[in-house]
Amino acid sequence: MRAVAYKTPQPISAETSLIDVELPMPEAGGHDLLVEIKAVSVNPVDVKVRAHSAPPADELKVLGWDAAGIVKAVGADVTLFRPGDEVFYSGVISRPGSNAEFHLVDERIVGTKPRSLDFAAAAALPLTSITAYEALFDRLKVQDAVSGAGRSILVIGGAGGVGSIAIQIARVLTDLTVIATASRPETQDWVKELGAHHVVDHSRPIAPQVAALGIGAPGFIFSTTNTDSHIGDIVEAIAPQGRFVLIDDPKTLDIMPFKRKAVSVHWELMFTRPLYGTPDMIEQHKLLNRISELVDAGKIRTTLSEIVGPINAANLKTVHAMVESGRMKGKAVLAGF
């Protein structure tokens, strides 16, 4: 089968940073589905792994943690899907990725593809939806109010992949006032279209802009990017006893300034459940199905912003460079081989 892989970590500009390869066809066993890949999208994790994670000597590493496709075969223990089902999912970082014609994935982290979306539009959603949903409801527990705080959430990096879906989920499934950050006219318009009540510019101090809204200090802050640059504003803006979640990888993170306000700090990593095979791993199957239902009901829209072309090394290099620029709006997708 055709796939895109790499042998050594290199800058994306290097000729062999990603290469087209032929690999053996995988076989489904246990809880695995064998999925024929129809579309994939690229996330910051793809870029980070490609740049820093070396596969064992003389081996190839296939990236890709967002996919939509058709189930072609199932393992003996599979109960949730059958061949012919259309699915979407984000896989797990410890297994070969979805940048291949066929891919193995555990059924318990797979959802039914929204009927109203084509494969490309669906492929933009899984990883970011899981991340946003878990951050909001499992980490921040936004369903539980923070005493004395404004009933609001600040989403830093609102126009990116995770921010774009977090805004929508918060609007549809909570009563929170959503404040999103964006710095360019086109990204500010984007987050407004997605449902943000207020937009502030993260290229300027964030806390004074939030205070100027006059709606009270937010009880919840969700940082998707550049947390180390914004940590002072986060400490200043958040309400006492508030809850803060982050998903990026700051080189250092001093959380001592949060002590005076008794703020709880949470990490979200959507790979944790499948990485450790947690007893509640199937929650990702359930939440993807819920996202699918919300999409088909017209309450959430895909965050697809561009289809770059078919799945091959050249196009994946283009999208990796787009992600590395830090100026993405929504998600870029590749469709077909």
Side-chain angles (χ1 to χ4, degrees), residues 20-89:
D20 294 304
V21 298
E22 287 284 336
L23 295 175
M25 174 74 76
E27 295 184 6
H31 283 282
D32 277 348
L33 310 176
L34 177 66
V35 178
E36 181 181 3
I37 300 298
K38 296 295 186 180
V40 300
S41 68
V42 177
N43 295 280
V45 63
D46 299 65
V47 170
K48 293 171 188 174
V49 173
R50 188 214 76 243
H52 302 294
S53 179
D58 299 321
E59 291 188 19
L60 294 164
K61 189 173 185 66
V62 178
L63 302 172
W65 292 286
D66 254 340
I70 301 172
V71 177
K72 303 304 288 186
V74 300
D77 299 327
V78 168
T79 61
L80 301 174
F81 298 96
R82 60 186 179 184
D85 287 344
E86 297 184 350
V87 296
F88 73 146
Y89 60 89

Side-chain angles (χ1 to χ4, degrees), residues 39 41 68 88 113-114 116-126 295 301-305 307 331 333 335:
S41 68
F88 73 146
K113 183 184 79 66
S116 59
L117 297 183
D118 62 18
F119 289 105
L125 288 171
V295 170
R301 72 186 229 193
T302 180
T303 54
L304 168 67
S305 58
I307 300 175
K331 297 291 292 294
V333 170

Side-chain angles (χ1 to χ4, degrees), residues 181-183 188 199-209 229-230 233:
T181 80
S183 61
Q188 291 172 349
V199 183
V200 299
D201 182 352
H202 54 235
S203 69
R204 299 188 290 117
I206 294 172
Q209 296 177 75
S229 299
H230 300 304
D233 274 308

Side-chain angles (χ1 to χ4, degrees), residues 79-314:
T79 61
L80 301 174
F81 298 96
R82 60 186 179 184
D85 287 344
E86 297 184 350
V87 296
F88 73 146
Y89 60 89
S90 59
V92 60
I93 199 168
S94 58
R95 302 185 69 178
S98 58
N99 293 337
E101 285 187 277
F102 294 90
H103 185 233
L104 293 177
V105 61
D106 191 299
E107 62 171 340
R108 292 167 291 185
I109 57 173
V110 175
T112 298
K113 183 184 79 66
R115 294 185 304 275
S116 59
L117 297 183
D118 62 18
F119 289 105
L125 288 171
L127 186 147
T128 55
S129 294
I130 295 171
T131 300
Y133 196 101
E134 290 185 347
L136 290 170
F137 298 107
D138 296 338
R139 314 297 171 230
L140 291 178
K141 298 188 183 298
V142 297
Q143 62 273 27
D144 299 332
V146 174
S147 178
R151 189 75 183 132
S152 60
I153 183 169
L154 171 64
V155 180
I156 296 174
V162 173
S164 293
I165 195 68
I167 291 168
Q168 297 185 75
I169 293 173
R171 281 301 307 265
V172 172
L173 298 181
T174 79
D175 63 351
L176 295 170
T177 296
V178 179
I179 310 161
T181 80
S183 61
R184 307 191 311 274
E186 62 268 28
T187 53
Q188 291 172 349
D189 290 343
W190 172 261
V191 298
K192 290 175 185 175
E193 290 173 15
L194 295 174
H197 294 93
H198 305 282
V199 183
V200 299
D201 182 352
H202 54 235
S203 69
R204 299 188 290 117
I206 294 172
Q209 296 177 75
V210 172
L213 296 175
I215 59 174
F220 310 103
I221 295 182
F222 184 173
S223 181
T224 70
T225 185
N226 294 320
T227 297
D228 41 1
S229 299
H230 300 304
I231 196 71
D233 274 308
I234 293 167
V235 171
E236 182 180 345
I238 199 166
Q241 302 187 95
R243 298 193 279 276
F244 167 56
V245 67
L246 68 156
I247 61 171
D248 60 328
D249 300 310
K251 291 182 179 179
T252 60
L253 184 68
D254 181 8
I255 65 171
M256 281 303 295
F258 287 112
K259 182 177 180 179
R260 184 174 179 85
K261 287 186 172 180
V263 167
S264 59
V265 179
H266 305 263
W267 287 98
E268 162 57 22
L269 179 66
M270 50 75 56
F271 291 130
T272 296
R273 280 170 160 149
L275 267 174
Y276 292 95
T278 59
D280 63 350
M281 180 171 155
I282 200 169
E283 291 302 316
Q284 293 196 345
H285 163 73
K286 296 176 182 177
L287 77 84
L288 282 175
N289 280 350
R290 190 171 192 194
I291 294 296
S292 187
E293 292 167 358
L294 291 169
V295 170
D296 286 338
K299 295 182 178 180
I300 284 179
R301 72 186 229 193
T302 180
T303 54
L304 168 67
S305 58
E306 182 178 356
I307 300 175
V308 174
I311 303 166
N312 58 41

